Amino acid sequence: MFSTFANPHRFLALSKWLMPLFAVLGAIIVATGWAWAFFFVPEELYQGATAKIMYIHVPAAMVSLAAYASMAVCSLLFLTLKHSIADVAAKSAAPVAAALSFICLVTGSLWGRPTWGTYWVWDARLTSMLFQLFLILGYMALRSAFQREQDAARAGAILCLVGAVNLPIIKFSVEWWNTLHQPAGFITLGGSSYAPEFYWPLWYNLIGIGLVFGALMMAAMRAEIFNRQYEAKLARMNRSAA
Amino acid sequence: MMRNGVAAIFRRELSLAWAGGSGLFLPAAFFAGTIFLAPLGIGPEPRLLAASAPGLIFVALCLASLTTLERIFQADLEVGALDHHRLSGLSMELATLAKVAAHWLVSGLPIALLTPVAAVMMRAETVTLQSILPVFLGSITIFLWGGIGASLTAGLRRSGPLVALLILPLFVPVVIFGAEELNHVLTGQGFGAGLGLLAANSLAALAISPFAMSLALKLE
Amino acid sequence: MMRNGVAAIFRRELSLAWAGGSGLFLPAAFFAGTIFLAPLGIGPEPRLLAASAPGLIFVALCLASLTTLERIFQADLEVGALDHHRLSGLSMELATLAKVAAHWLVSGLPIALLTPVAAVMMRAETVTLQSILPVFLGSITIFLWGGIGASLTAGLRRSGPLVALLILPLFVPVVIFGAEELNHVLTGQGFGAGLGLLAANSLAALAISPFAMSLALKLE
Amino acid sequence: MYFIATHRELQFVLGRGGKIRVSENHSSFVPILTIDSLTAVRGYNLLFQGLNFKLQSGQFAALRGPNGTGKTTLLRMIAGFIEAETGTIEKVEEYRERGPFYLGHDHGLRASETPLSHLTDWADIHYSPRSDIPDILERVGLTLRQHVPAYSLSAGQKKRVALARALITPRLLWLLDEPASALDTAGQALLCELMKEHLDEGGAILAAIHDDLELTPDLVLDLGAFA
Amino acid sequence: MYFIATHRELQFVLGRGGKIRVSENHSSFVPILTIDSLTAVRGYNLLFQGLNFKLQSGQFAALRGPNGTGKTTLLRMIAGFIEAETGTIEKVEEYRERGPFYLGHDHGLRASETPLSHLTDWADIHYSPRSDIPDILERVGLTLRQHVPAYSLSAGQKKRVALARALITPRLLWLLDEPASALDTAGQALLCELMKEHLDEGGAILAAIHDDLELTPDLVLDLGAFA
Ligand code: HEM
Ligand SMILES: Nc1ncnc2c1ncn2[C@@H]1O[C@H](COP(=O)(O)OP(=O)(O)OP(=O)(O)O)[C@@H](O)[C@H]1O
Ligand SMILES: Nc1ncnc2c1ncn2[C@@H]1O[C@H](COP(=O)(O)OP(=O)(O)OP(=O)(O)O)[C@@H](O)[C@H]1O
Ligand SMILES: [Mg+2]
Ligand SMILES: [Mg+2]
């Protein structure tokens, strides 16, 4: 399975139809999912209509965390196996992950205003998400500062992995903080504590955002591969011209 | 045998740090300067100052470490000295560790030792020598993570605050646990649960950082 | 006529600051990073955070300015570009001013514009766009004083935090008046008496700094 | 020839005055540089003392001497970067009160500058037209590398950028510190050509060199008597 | 002579393989460096392709070619700093797994290091005795300047410190990038003397040079065919 993706040509062939499929499916699911959430799901007992922000906020949060995790896995694969497609994947996931983190932060603070009376509190969840956004921005800045793609790849992978080592520590610091943020209840080891009328639409939206993420990431990967091929071609032309 | 050459790198870095204008008292002075500026901005109210002391001490430590660390590898790289280290046959892991250790000794340790003074200036309740330990452990971690940032940006041959941006997020756990622990000590509660975490964090940094640094410096 | 050449120096510095990895968002990110670290250390208590916000914002501004400024003159000196500026027939006063202005535009201004965001994160009571003005005025002064420190250390051919040490005392009035003024704004009292002092301070810095910088750079 | 070497009485064992040899193939018009009993001290060392010489329009003076005898120091004194211990330096008035053209050991390029951006800024700073830059880049052989940042340029390419600066701004006096180093054969030929043109246009050149150039100097100023 | 120049079939107009001329006054024993069909690419430029040559104990190879043809790149590839695009580099095993001796364009001295402190640290780092240092400083003519920090040293003095490093640690392969630049006549003579001694002791030298040295090379590797 991995070797399929390690080959750029096979990846390009596969993603050629997978990418639009994900995009279309994702768009449909997100659109219907929001419609479902906004018009058909009953209002939450205490928070009323504001809780509907959950259907953007939670999927964005979860997918962005998964996106960072996938960047870390790809970085590890790149450093150990030297498959450049793993690097392309990590690089392409970064802006999408940053955007999702940003959406999570913005929706979270907008949600925080009515429920907690403030846009921002220094709580472990919120802080760790901000931390992740900084890390991804740093990753992108570091990469863009290198002239050679190989160097950028190596440096970026190191940073991404080092950052990943810190993420669990941040996550566990929840226990030392008095936290305002809702504890995990949606997907936990002991099953979900959510009522079914909130549980299923959330799942549906999660899948939708996940598909959109997949489509965007594949599009970015394709662009990156094409760009690298183009640059290689340009290099060859340069050689023969000089 | 290996020890010898690495020790020489350590000594060289130490004397350069000394001669290069970042001698013993300077990062400490930078730290002291921050601790001196902050109350001016925050205002003289003792309770407010005491409450923000642990956090400020750790933030000042992070920022003071950045001012020195940024240049460790870059200075060597610019004049071509890094090339020679790479050809010396010494393990780059140990060589980079020796460099960071020397800088920590010159810049990090004095800051840790200054903690009680800073705490007094920030009007902390109970100032004991115990307050040194959290900052001591924290400074080790901060210098090791900082070394990674410095090595990553050294290869860029570009200066600027990129290094700061990259490593500030890595400082987060140290700042959280360290400030909490320091708060425990400064409010007369002795050591808390965070000390073990701080130490574990230092050990993790010690295990990871040399490899990350030597890998980063091999970028062309 | 003079304007032309000085404008070219300004433009050069601007594009170098951009290309050199200290692009628009980086010093701002350093500032944001400090504002992000501090509450982690101080703890999430809103009143405490709000009370220390103005001070912290100004200290973070000072420290963010140091990270960029330190390298302005040193980079030119190391490669010999400063020699050429001295022979160009332009007034060194205006040339150094142009350099500092370019760096302020890239690093100082974004920080001032970020103030409302920082204030929200620090749980300030009343966040308005007015809060930008004290930091705006303060950042001008801080960059001009910082330029003096940078030129002095460049002339000494030494890196390290010496520059920080030299200029921190100069930052004192800015931090005091600036934080007080910002506190006024953030507690909903509008502008206070300090604004005029801040502006006067900026003007004084503008009058003194170019001469001090050009003199310092002439040290051989 | 216009030149007086004053061998002063010296307190120091080292100080014996600059030894100056003169060859006679020059065409002298205007005195561009006049140096009178110049003394240089660095740290605790007297480098030279009682140095006198005159450089005229159209003349090329070679500055020679072993490592560490003060060639760079002398050039930087003339440029105005270092104050002389005693003695006077008279320079011709350059256009718009600029200093002479100085090419030092350092190439003067910041890591992220490209040849094109550097020369464009240089032209702007010195009120020269930008329109000549493409021709100048062509002349120094950097047209194909004009967009490459300095940290990717080879040593010789950086030196060529430094040379190109001289073509953008006309100045009467050129001070060159080992101008041939890092240049290949073609680059050295180009250097001599540029120097020749500059002399023909009435300029003057003082260049510290270790190896002979293709261009024969009108005077040789040997600081090596101190070695 | 031991050398094979393979002119590969190439897709690109440029790639014609390194042109190598060989002169015949060598005494070959051990192969110290073997380079096989080496290709170097920097940025978008192919610098050289299909480069083959062998350097034996006692041989001095001169690396020539116009500015920007890849001399520094080749030396840094052999030192192990840059990865080759394709091809292999085989080096002799140096004592204690060290790399070869590399003298680059940069002098490798930090501003506040003195010649003495630098060489002392160098000796320690490489497990060599410190006791030779006074003699070595004497040899490169820096005894009187041994306590002066690098920012006060002249260009040639810094180069001499760089040369002195070679005397402290015995290595079979020397890679020298324009070793003569900044050196005065005596310094260049010293350089040739040191190189000669190194060859006599069975070492090998690959040096990028623009101007001829006093020492005649055994092989000349001309990368200029690509210019
Ligand atoms: C800027 C502010 C906020 C940020 C950065 C943030 C961040 C996050 C993150 C990272 C998650 C995913 C956790 C995981 O997958 O383990 C999450 C989940 C969630 N957030 Fe927020 N959040 C913010 C504000 C809020 C607010 C104001 C509320 C509602 C009062 C809220 C309610 C939730 C809920 C219900 C979940 C799902 C938790 C679960 O059951 O697993 N969040 N948030
Ligand atoms: N990092 C890089 N990225 C892109 N191009 C590079 C890089 N480094 C070097 N080059 C280019 O590669 C070429 C070879 O450079 P190199 O330094 O090896 O030349 P050289 O033969 O040593 O020249 P010189 O005689 O001037 O020292 C040059 O044209 C240079 O511009
Ligand atoms: N700032 C300084 N303080 C003390 N001594 C100095 C200083 N700068 C230079 N020197 C010494 O002055 C002497 C002259 O240096 P200078 O650079 O002028 O020599 P040079 O003739 O250019 O030599 P080279 O041929 O090596 O370039 C040297 O011996 C140097 O060590
Ligand atoms: Mg010199
Ligand atoms: Mg070269």
Side-chain angles (χ1 to χ4, degrees):
Chain A
M1 145 70 190
F2 180 71
S3 57
T4 311
F5 281 98
N7 179 330
H9 297 291
R10 242 173 292 167
F11 171 80
L12 284 177
L14 189 66
S15 62
K16 192 169 186 173
W17 56 270
L18 213 54
M19 194 261 285
L21 181 71
F22 272 35
V24 170
L25 262 182
I28 293 172
I29 293 183
V30 167
T32 53
W34 286 348
W36 183 5
F38 277 80
F39 301 115
F40 303 105
V41 172
E43 292 205 344
E44 212 256 356
L45 192 56
Y46 302 107
Q47 299 184 12
T50 50
K52 305 215 160 177
I53 238 176
M54 175 169 83
Y55 301 98
I56 305 172
H57 171 75
V58 178
M62 289 186 155
V63 175
S64 81
L65 289 178
Y68 189 87
S70 71
M71 278 169 64
V73 171
C74 289
S75 298
L76 188 66
L77 287 177
F78 173 72
L79 281 183
T80 50
L81 304 176
K82 302 223 151 139
H83 277 307
S84 67
I85 199 88
D87 173 55
V88 171
K91 183 181 181 182
S92 310
V96 192
L100 287 171
S101 307
F102 188 70
I103 291 173
C104 167
L105 281 164
V106 170
T107 54
S109 17
L110 290 177
W111 195 2
R113 183 74 198 175
T115 50
W116 304 336
T118 174
Y119 289 112
W120 188 259
V121 282
W122 290 95
D123 146 294
R125 261 287 157 69
L126 277 59
T127 308
S128 71
M129 184 45 75
L130 190 59
F131 164 86
Q132 183 183 298
L133 178 64
F134 274 129
L135 212 57
I136 300 172
L137 288 179
Y139 174 86
M140 287 161 62
L142 181 68
R143 286 199 72 120
S144 72
F146 280 95
Q147 204 199 12
R148 288 199 335 146
E149 201 56 51
Q150 295 102 299
D151 296 341
R154 186 125 66 115
I158 295 171
L159 182 71
C160 184
L161 280 177
V162 171
V165 166
N166 264 274
L167 269 179
I169 303 178
I170 298 276
K171 273 280 186 181
F172 291 130
S173 72
V174 169
E175 294 171 26
W176 285 274
W177 281 60
N178 55 331
T179 169
L180 265 181
H181 193 280
Q182 176 113 357
F186 174 44
I187 308 171
T188 61
L189 285 178
S192 179
S193 61
Y194 279 46
E197 65 264 35
F198 304 125
Y199 184 73
W200 293 113
L202 194 54
W203 256 118
Y204 189 68
N205 271 302
L206 184 61
I207 290 168
I209 300 262
L211 286 174
V212 170
F213 166 74
L216 287 174
M217 178 170 157
M218 266 189 277
M221 282 177 75
R222 287 172 65 82
E224 179 67 22
I225 291 172
F226 285 139
N227 195 33
R228 287 187 190 186
Q229 284 177 345
Y230 165 77
E231 299 218 329
K233 206 168 280 174
L234 196 71
R236 252 173 286 149
M237 272 164 54
N238 255 31
R239 282 169 213 167
S240 42
Chain B
M1 261 327 215
M2 184 56 96
R3 211 172 38 77
N4 237 347
V6 172
I9 288 194
F10 179 77
R11 245 180 296 115
R12 167 170 179 272
E13 207 61 36
L14 211 58
S15 65
L16 280 175
W18 192 272
S22 49
L24 190 68
F25 76 102
L26 281 168
F30 180 89
F31 174 79
T34 315
I35 294 296
F36 159 69
L37 275 188
L40 295 177
I42 293 175
E45 228 271 275
R47 256 177 321 130
L48 187 57
L49 277 180
S52 50
L56 268 177
I57 286 176
F58 266 88
V59 173
L61 167 66
C62 292
L63 298 171
S65 81
L66 286 181
T67 55
T68 17
L69 274 175
E70 197 180 6
R71 297 279 298 154
I72 332 180
F73 298 118
Q74 205 153 34
D76 267 348
L77 194 97
E78 269 166 16
V79 300
L82 213 56
D83 291 346
H84 301 306
H85 289 326
R86 285 170 69 178
L87 292 177
S88 68
L90 296 179
S91 113
M92 277 299 271
E93 285 79 16
L94 289 179
T96 50
L97 193 60
K99 272 172 192 288
V100 172
H103 274 261
W104 174 81
L105 198 67
V106 166
S107 323
L109 186 60
I111 290 179
L113 297 177
L114 271 180
T115 310
V117 181
V120 170
M121 304 216 357
M122 301 284 294
R123 317 290 302 269
E125 278 168 45
T126 338
V127 180
T128 61
L129 286 184
Q130 285 191 318
S131 63
I132 291 177
L133 193 59
V135 183
F136 176 87
L137 288 173
S139 67
I140 294 178
T141 320
I142 283 173
F143 271 73
L144 286 166
W145 289 143
I148 298 183
S151 62
L152 280 171
T153 43
L156 291 174
R157 295 189 168 264
R158 298 177 163 197
S159 55
L162 182 58
V163 52
L165 175 66
L166 290 175
I167 51 186
L168 276 180
L170 298 182
F171 291 168
V172 168
V174 191
V175 172
I176 294 178
F177 300 137
E180 198 182 287
E181 201 52 32
L182 188 57
N183 193 33
H184 258 261
V185 175
L186 293 182
T187 51
Q189 304 172 57
F191 293 126
L195 208 63
L197 281 168
L198 269 184
N201 215 337
S202 304
L203 282 180
L206 198 60
I208 295 169
S209 165
F211 297 97
M213 288 191 289
S214 83
L215 205 63
L217 288 176
K218 282 178 191 152
L219 302 169
E220 175 69 17
Chain C
M1 260 325 214
M2 185 54 94
R3 212 173 38 77
N4 237 347
V6 172
I9 287 193
F10 180 77
R11 244 180 298 116
R12 166 169 181 273
E13 208 60 38
L14 211 57
S15 66
L16 280 175
W18 191 271
S22 48
L24 191 66
F25 76 102
L26 280 168
F30 180 89
F31 174 78
T34 316
I35 294 297
F36 162 64
L37 274 189
L40 295 179
I42 294 174
E45 229 274 274
R47 256 179 318 132
L48 186 57
L49 278 179
S52 49
L56 266 177
I57 286 175
F58 267 87
V59 172
L61 167 67
C62 292
L63 299 173
S65 79
L66 286 182
T67 57
T68 13
L69 275 175
E70 197 180 4
R71 297 282 297 155
I72 331 180
F73 297 117
Q74 204 152 31
D76 266 349
L77 193 96
E78 268 164 19
V79 299
L82 214 55
D83 292 345
H84 301 304
H85 289 325
R86 286 170 67 179
L87 293 177
S88 67
L90 297 179
S91 109
M92 276 299 271
E93 286 79 15
L94 288 181
T96 51
L97 193 60
K99 273 172 192 289
V100 172
H103 275 261
W104 174 81
L105 197 68
V106 166
S107 321
L109 187 61
I111 289 180
L113 297 178
L114 269 181
T115 310
V117 180
V120 169
M121 309 267 296
M122 300 285 295
R123 315 293 305 271
E125 279 168 44
T126 337
V127 180
T128 59
L129 286 185
Q130 286 191 318
S131 63
I132 292 177
L133 193 59
V135 182
F136 176 88
L137 288 174
S139 67
I140 294 177
T141 322
I142 282 173
F143 271 73
L144 286 167
W145 290 144
I148 299 183
S151 61
L152 277 171
T153 38
L156 294 173
R157 289 185 173 268
R158 299 181 157 196
S159 57
L162 183 57
V163 50
L165 179 65
L166 285 172
I167 51 184
L168 277 180
L170 293 180
F171 289 169
V172 168
V174 191
V175 172
I176 294 179
F177 299 137
E180 197 180 287
E181 199 52 33
L182 187 57
N183 194 34
H184 259 263
V185 175
L186 292 182
T187 51
Q189 304 172 57
F191 292 126
L195 208 63
L197 280 171
L198 267 185
N201 214 338
S202 302
L203 283 180
L206 198 60
I208 295 170
S209 166
F211 298 98
M213 287 191 288
S214 84
L215 212 61
L217 289 177
K218 280 177 194 156
L219 301 171
E220 174 73 16
Chain D
M1 244 302 302
Y2 210 106
F3 158 68
I4 319 152
T6 321
H7 290 267
R8 286 230 190 150
E9 265 287 285
L10 299 183
Q11 288 157 277
F12 309 116
V13 181
L14 264 184
R16 266 170 290 152
K19 204 179 82 197
I20 300 181
R21 281 181 285 124
V22 176
S23 74
E24 287 285 322
N25 60 335
H26 67 284
S27 50
S28 56
F29 311 107
V30 198
I32 288 191
L33 177 70
T34 315
I35 286 187
D36 190 29
S37 55
L38 194 71
T39 304
V41 174
R42 309 271 7 219
Y44 297 129
N45 291 73
L46 178 77
L47 295 181
F48 51 80
Q49 178 159 354
L51 190 69
N52 295 276
F53 78 98
K54 210 164 210 165
L55 195 61
Q56 311 240 341
S57 171
Q59 278 187 330
F60 160 38
L63 189 58
R64 310 202 68 144
N67 293 138
T69 39
K71 300 181 294 299
T72 300
T73 306
L74 176 59
L75 292 176
R76 292 182 67 81
M77 273 183 177
I78 297 171
F81 300 144
I82 304 179
E83 269 178 45
E85 201 65 15
T86 61
T88 55
I89 298 171
E90 259 178 71
K91 280 178 285 187
V92 76
E93 186 106 349
E94 299 269 355
Y95 178 62
R96 280 183 200 279
E97 303 185 3
R98 294 190 210 122
F101 175 72
Y102 175 71
L103 176 71
H105 285 298
D106 297 320
H107 46 69
L109 287 159
R110 289 220 333 229
S112 48
E113 282 183 300
T114 67
L116 181 62
S117 79
H118 182 76
L119 295 180
T120 309
D121 289 336
W122 182 267
D124 291 353
I125 291 172
H126 297 86
Y127 305 95
S128 301
R130 290 181 176 192
S131 49
D132 302 341
I133 294 175
D135 292 343
I136 291 173
L137 280 170
E138 184 69 46
R139 181 116 202 242
V140 298
L142 287 175
T143 307
L144 285 173
R145 310 249 94 209
Q146 59 181 307
H147 297 297
V148 177
Y151 60 81
S152 289
L153 291 176
S154 81
Q157 288 164 344
K158 278 183 264 199
K159 194 83 181 196
R160 282 158 186 261
V161 179
L163 265 185
R165 291 196 285 249
L167 301 181
I168 291 183
T169 41
R171 306 211 184 169
L172 279 171
L173 178 59
W174 284 10
L175 303 171
L176 312 178
D177 205 349
E178 298 184 35
S181 80
L183 289 177
D184 58 14
T185 324
Q188 293 189 22
L190 172 71
L191 169 72
C192 292
E193 208 180 290
L194 297 180
M195 287 168 68
K196 190 96 198 1
E197 283 171 19
H198 179 60
L199 296 175
D200 289 346
E201 285 163 8
I205 301 176
L206 178 62
I209 51 174
H210 287 304
D211 300 309
D212 286 327
L213 297 177
E214 288 294 298
L215 199 71
T216 353
D218 300 300
L219 350 166
V220 175
L221 185 63
D222 192 345
L223 296 176
F226 298 86
Chain E
M1 243 305 300
Y2 210 106
F3 158 68
I4 319 152
T6 321
H7 291 267
R8 288 229 188 151
E9 265 287 289
L10 299 180
Q11 289 157 275
F12 312 117
V13 181
L14 258 187
R16 265 169 289 154
K19 203 177 84 199
I20 299 182
R21 280 182 285 123
V22 175
S23 73
E24 287 286 322
N25 62 335
H26 67 284
S27 50
S28 57
F29 313 106
V30 199
I32 287 191
L33 178 70
T34 315
I35 285 186
D36 190 27
S37 55
L38 194 72
T39 304
V41 173
R42 310 266 14 215
Y44 296 132
N45 291 76
L46 179 77
L47 295 180
F48 49 80
Q49 179 161 349
L51 190 69
N52 295 276
F53 79 99
K54 212 165 209 163
L55 196 61
Q56 310 242 337
S57 170
Q59 281 187 330
F60 161 37
L63 189 59
R64 309 201 69 144
N67 292 138
T69 40
K71 301 181 292 300
T72 301
T73 306
L74 177 59
L75 292 175
R76 292 182 68 80
M77 272 185 180
I78 297 171
F81 300 143
I82 303 180
E83 270 175 46
E85 201 67 11
T86 60
T88 55
I89 297 171
E90 258 177 74
K91 281 177 286 186
V92 76
E93 185 105 348
E94 298 267 357
Y95 178 62
R96 279 181 200 278
E97 304 185 2
R98 293 189 211 121
F101 175 73
Y102 175 72
L103 177 70
H105 283 298
D106 299 319
H107 46 70
L109 287 160
R110 295 236 310 245
S112 48
E113 280 183 300
T114 67
L116 180 62
S117 79
H118 182 76
L119 295 180
T120 310
D121 289 336
W122 182 266
D124 290 353
I125 291 172
H126 297 85
Y127 304 96
S128 301
R130 290 180 174 191
S131 49
D132 303 342
I133 294 175
D135 292 344
I136 291 172
L137 279 170
E138 184 67 46
R139 182 120 200 240
V140 298
L142 288 174
T143 307
L144 286 172
R145 308 248 95 208
Q146 60 181 306
H147 297 298
V148 176
Y151 61 81
S152 290
L153 291 176
S154 82
Q157 288 163 346
K158 278 185 265 200
K159 194 82 180 196
R160 282 159 187 261
V161 179
L163 265 185
R165 291 196 285 249
L167 301 180
I168 291 182
T169 43
R171 305 209 183 172
L172 278 170
L173 179 59
W174 284 11
L175 302 171
L176 312 178
D177 205 349
E178 298 183 36
S181 80
L183 288 178
D184 58 13
T185 324
Q188 293 189 21
L190 172 71
L191 169 71
C192 291
E193 209 180 290
L194 296 181
M195 287 168 68
K196 190 96 201 356
E197 282 171 21
H198 179 61
L199 296 175
D200 289 346
E201 285 164 9
I205 300 176
L206 180 62
I209 51 174
H210 287 305
D211 300 309
D212 286 327
L213 297 176
E214 289 294 299
L215 198 69
T216 354
D218 300 301
L219 349 165
V220 176
L221 185 63
D222 193 346
L223 295 176
F226 299 87

